[in-house]
């Protein structure tokens, strides 16, 4: 998984390689961590690398990888302009529908002598690999089939008409100027065997696919992870053999785990679905990735996608891999008003423009949050709800507004610590008596406070009145009064400020809970 961006030129088109995707392409597109040319009115394209036939589920049902990718990107706020689902002028966008293009390129390479069929059995290839490892060498194909005569090839084709096709690595690899790593040249022919470019089933390997697709789709700039830097010389040899003009390349430093290991799909918890299910916002994911990487004049928390697009600069991308500390994601999701946090050895100034609060401040987005929280409450508590009025939109909205600065994601509001918002706790008078002997006096004064004529309930007002109430109780600490009220209202010894609890529940519910405890 790479961090960084993509930089193209007006009228051109660029590609950014994603895991499992042949090329996510931008025509002069700028997307933070994936492109820098949206400001040039670019176009973001998705080309799915894998065949639909490679994704089979039980009972013969097919899973469409294109749907998963475009759906995930849509959910992250970076929907493609062109893709298998949306179509577009550079299609088709599924590799299984582009096989004729790969076959044509392969045929041209075969005719020119730049490629040849390979008839080596899997068993022989495995023996070569074992022998190399036994001798502590890097496994490589010995190019045995490269020297077969035309008669030998014809004879073998009669028995095996669809062999894999290998590209003939020869000559000096061309040097190229990478837009991030500078001038590079890798003499792949001296350290590697001839690579397979077309498999026996007619599908290309990445080496052929990226070259053919980028050529036919008019790609001007290719951005991909730094692990492909060594292979670029191989791809340039393919461009030369086909007589095509290669695009410009920029290889991006990798985004690594906090311990320096590579992100891997085997981890399971790095899939976008995992973060969405856990309640993390798309903007927060983009935010943490761009904040720990490079490509910006300064790192800060809370940037929106348009801000990231404006600020990203490929010339600021460094060669150093970035460490992704996902333990900080909840803080990016919630955001803090002002703080300094070290990220990858740097200090980040966090402004108060933050993702969850930004959604809450927008009336339309807030209505959507209300609907999601209503569904979460129904799912979490269901038949436990003694009063279904807690699902009322106005009440749910009030809870979100009051708690927005204290939660990392919406699911926090249905956690045990917030259960008092939705269900009435079972609290006995004896529990309150263990906190203070003045249960009746405290309860009576709080009830009187709530019944005051024309009383405007605000958190500041309640804090002030509760402080006065405590001061009027000789020999009783304010902390004990707050503890008693917290237990009466929530059944918990810890939680939000009592004044906020009262404001959240409302005067009627507070009265009912206190009276219920007194009568128990």
């Amino acid at each position: 998984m790479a961090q960084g961006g993509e930089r193209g030129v007006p009228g051109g088109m660029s590609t950014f390689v994603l895991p499992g995707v042949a090329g996510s392409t931008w025509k002069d597109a700028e997307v933070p961590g994936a492109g820098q040319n949206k400001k040039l009115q670019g176009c973001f394209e998705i080309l799915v690398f894998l065949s639909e036939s490679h994704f089979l589920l039980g009972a013969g049902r097919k899973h469409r990888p294109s749907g998963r990718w475009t759906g995930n990107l849509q959910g992250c706020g970076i929907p493609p302009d062109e893709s298998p689902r949306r179509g577009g002028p550079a299609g088709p966008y599924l590799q299984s529908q582009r096989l004729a293009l790969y076959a044509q390129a392969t045929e041209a390479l075969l005719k020119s002598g730049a490629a040849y069929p390979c008839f080596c059995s899997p068993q022989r290839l495995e023996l070569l690999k074992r022998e190399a490892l036994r001798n502590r060498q890097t496994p490589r194909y010995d190019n045995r089939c490269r020297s077969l005569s035309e008669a030998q090839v014809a004879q073998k084709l009669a028995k095996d008409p669809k062999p894999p096709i290998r590209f003939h690595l020869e000559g000096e690899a061309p040097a190229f100027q990478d837009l991030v790593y500078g001038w590079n040249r890798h003499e792949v022919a001296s350290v590697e065997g001839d690579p397979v470019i077309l498999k026996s089933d007619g599908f290309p390997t990445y080496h052929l696919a990226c070259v053919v697709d980028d050529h036919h789709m008019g790609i001007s700039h290719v951005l991909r992870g730094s692990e492909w830097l060594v292979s670029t010389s191989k791809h340039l040899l393919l461009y030369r053999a086909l007589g095509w003009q290669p695009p410009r390349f920029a290889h991006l430093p990798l985004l690594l785990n906090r311990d320096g290991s590579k992100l891997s799909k085997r981890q399971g918890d790095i899939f976008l679905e995992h973060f969405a299910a856990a309640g993390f916002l798309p903007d927060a994911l983009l935010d943490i990735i761009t904040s720990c990487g490079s490509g910006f004049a300064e790192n800060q928390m809370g940037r929106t996608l348009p801000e990231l697009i404006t600020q990203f600069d490929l010339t600021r991308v460094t060669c150093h891999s970035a460490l992704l500390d996902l333990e900080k994601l909840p803080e990016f999701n919630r955001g803090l008003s002002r703080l300094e946090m070290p990220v990858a050895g740097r200090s980040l100034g966090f402004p108060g423009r933050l993702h969850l609060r930004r959604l809450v401040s927008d009336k339309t987005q807030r209505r959507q949050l209300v609907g999601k929280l209503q569904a979460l409450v129904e799912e979490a508590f269901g038949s436990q709800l003694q009063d279904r009025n807690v699902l009322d939109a106005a009440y749910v909205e009030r809870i979100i507004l009051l708690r927005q600065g204290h939660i990392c994601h919406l699911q926090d509001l249905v956690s045990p610590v917030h259960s008092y918002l939705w269900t009435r706790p079972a609290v006995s008078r004896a529990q309150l008596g263990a906190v203070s002997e003045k249960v009746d006096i405290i309860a009576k004064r709080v009830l009187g406070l709530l019944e005051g004529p024309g009383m405007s309930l605000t958190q500041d007002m309640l804090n002030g009145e509760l402080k006065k109430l405590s001061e009027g109780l000789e020999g009783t600490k304010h902390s004990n009064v707050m503890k008693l009220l917290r237990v009466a209202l929530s059944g918990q010894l810890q939680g939000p400020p009592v004044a906020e609890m009262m404001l959240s529940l409302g005067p009627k519910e507070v009265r009912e809970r206190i009276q219920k405890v007194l009568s128990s």
Side-chain angles (χ1 to χ4, degrees):
M1 192 172 183
Q3 62 89 14
E6 163 276 328
R7 182 173 186 149
V9 292
M13 183 165 140
S14 305
T15 180
F16 182 82
V17 178
L18 297 172
V21 178
S24 300
T25 62
W26 285 264
K27 295 176 182 175
D28 301 318
E30 175 177 10
V31 178
Q36 164 166 324
N37 298 312
K38 203 65 177 180
K39 66 178 77 173
L40 301 178
Q41 304 301 313
C43 177
F44 172 26
E45 299 185 353
I46 291 290
L47 172 62
V48 177
F49 199 123
L50 300 175
S51 163
E52 284 183 286
S53 64
H54 292 176
F55 287 82
L56 291 177
L57 303 177
R61 293 179 292 113
K62 289 185 178 181
H63 164 65
R64 294 180 64 89
S66 57
R68 178 181 178 185
W69 271 106
T70 54
N72 283 339
L73 290 168
Q74 183 84 34
C76 280
I78 45 176
D81 298 301
E82 300 173 23
S83 68
R85 180 179 290 179
R86 301 189 65 170
Y93 298 90
L94 250 172
Q95 191 185 62
S96 59
Q97 298 171 4
R98 301 174 67 85
L99 298 185
L101 293 175
Y102 310 129
Q104 290 170 10
T106 303
E107 185 62 29
L109 293 171
L110 287 168
K111 287 183 177 179
S112 68
Y116 59 89
C118 178
F119 302 97
C120 293
S121 67
Q123 292 80 8
R124 181 178 186 274
L125 297 176
E126 180 63 25
L127 286 174
L128 285 175
K129 178 180 178 181
R130 290 183 182 180
E131 182 66 16
L133 293 175
R134 187 176 68 83
N135 294 322
R136 298 183 179 180
Q137 298 174 347
T138 301
R140 56 182 290 184
Y141 179 56
D142 61 0
N143 303 334
R144 176 182 181 180
C145 292
R146 183 199 287 184
S147 58
L148 293 177
S149 65
E150 289 187 16
Q152 289 175 311
V153 170
Q155 184 181 18
K156 290 181 179 292
L157 283 175
K159 298 179 180 179
D160 182 7
K162 292 185 177 180
I165 305 300
R166 291 183 181 272
F167 177 60
H168 187 168
L169 293 176
E170 66 174 351
E172 185 177 279
F176 67 97
Q177 186 175 22
D178 188 84
L179 296 176
V180 174
Y181 284 82
W183 283 99
N184 274 265
R185 175 190 280 126
H186 302 280
E187 296 296 347
V188 288
S190 63
V191 295
E192 296 184 32
D194 293 340
V196 171
I197 57 172
L198 193 73
K199 296 177 287 186
S200 58
D201 61 3
F203 279 84
T205 62
Y206 175 70
H207 301 303
L208 179 66
C210 71
V211 171
V212 172
D213 291 333
D214 289 350
H215 170 73
H216 285 287
M217 299 177 84
I219 301 299
S220 61
H221 291 64
V222 173
L223 278 80
R224 56 191 179 188
S226 58
E227 69 266 40
W228 291 106
L229 184 62
V230 174
S231 294
T232 303
S233 292
K234 194 183 310 180
H235 300 157
L236 290 173
L237 288 171
L238 272 166
Y239 275 105
R240 187 167 68 185
L242 288 164
W244 296 341
Q245 180 68 31
R248 298 292 304 277
F249 290 91
H251 288 83
L252 309 174
L254 298 183
L255 193 62
L256 305 176
N257 288 310
R258 186 175 58 174
D259 62 2
S261 61
K262 294 181 69 172
L263 294 175
S264 169
K265 62 184 178 182
R266 295 180 182 87
Q267 291 174 237
D269 59 355
I270 63 167
F271 286 99
L272 293 177
E273 295 95 329
H274 164 79
F275 295 112
F280 291 109
L281 302 172
D283 281 355
L285 287 170
L286 287 175
D287 198 358
I288 192 172
I289 290 172
T290 53
S291 292
C292 72
S294 56
F296 299 91
E298 61 181 22
N299 286 312
Q300 66 182 50
M301 182 182 182
R303 286 178 292 209
T304 63
L305 183 58
E307 289 171 333
L308 290 168
I309 289 171
T310 301
Q311 296 175 25
F312 182 77
D313 183 355
L314 183 64
T315 63
R316 293 185 179 274
V317 176
T318 69
C319 300
H320 306 294
S321 294
L323 302 183
L324 177 63
D325 188 356
L326 289 174
E327 290 185 4
K328 292 176 181 159
L329 183 56
E331 295 177 27
F332 276 81
N333 206 55
R334 176 187 66 225
L336 306 171
S337 56
R338 288 275 177 188
L339 68 98
E340 292 289 312
M341 177 184 295
V343 174
R346 298 183 298 277
S347 180
L348 298 180
F350 289 175
R353 304 168 292 109
L354 305 156
H355 305 301
L356 187 56
R357 291 180 177 179
R358 188 180 291 122
L359 291 183
V360 173
S361 66
D362 182 273
K363 183 176 287 187
T364 301
Q365 300 270 24
R366 189 164 69 244
R367 280 199 297 267
Q368 294 177 4
L369 290 177
V370 167
K372 290 179 181 179
L373 183 53
Q374 287 171 321
L376 287 171
V377 172
E378 184 74 65
E379 180 184 354
F381 298 101
S383 60
Q384 301 176 47
L385 298 176
Q386 299 102 327
D387 184 356
R388 296 192 66 81
N389 286 332
V390 297
L391 295 175
D392 180 74
Y395 176 75
V396 174
E397 182 177 21
R398 184 165 79 235
I399 299 304
I400 292 174
L401 288 168
L402 287 169
R403 291 270 81 200
Q404 61 176 305
H406 306 279
I407 59 173
C408 293
H409 29 59
L410 215 54
Q411 281 88 334
D412 290 346
L413 291 175
V414 294
S415 64
V417 73
H418 289 103
S419 61
Y420 73 92
L421 293 169
W422 320 108
T423 62
R424 293 172 180 141
V427 181
S428 67
R429 184 187 179 91
Q431 286 177 265
L432 300 187
V435 178
S436 174
E437 297 177 353
K438 300 180 180 179
V439 174
D440 290 308
I441 298 175
I442 296 172
K444 182 178 179 180
R445 294 191 181 185
V446 171
L447 291 173
L449 172 66
L450 296 173
E451 293 170 357
M455 184 71 72
S456 176
L457 292 180
T458 67
Q459 193 163 338
D460 288 341
M461 183 279 294
L462 284 171
N463 277 325
E465 292 299 322
L466 290 172
K467 186 70 174 177
K468 292 179 185 177
L469 186 154
S470 300
E471 292 171 350
L473 296 171
E474 188 176 348
T476 302
K477 295 181 178 180
H478 179 65
S479 59
N480 282 345
V481 174
M482 295 300 99
K483 184 177 180 180
L484 183 145
L485 291 175
R486 182 176 284 108
V487 172
L489 297 177
S490 69
Q492 301 172 8
L493 294 174
Q494 296 180 334
V498 170
E500 185 189 314
M501 281 186 169
M502 296 173 68
L503 200 60
S504 298
L505 295 170
K508 179 175 179 293
E509 181 66 20
V510 171
R511 284 196 298 269
E512 289 183 5
R513 292 193 183 192
I514 291 176
Q515 289 167 349
K516 179 183 175 184
V517 175
L518 292 177
S519 63
S520 63

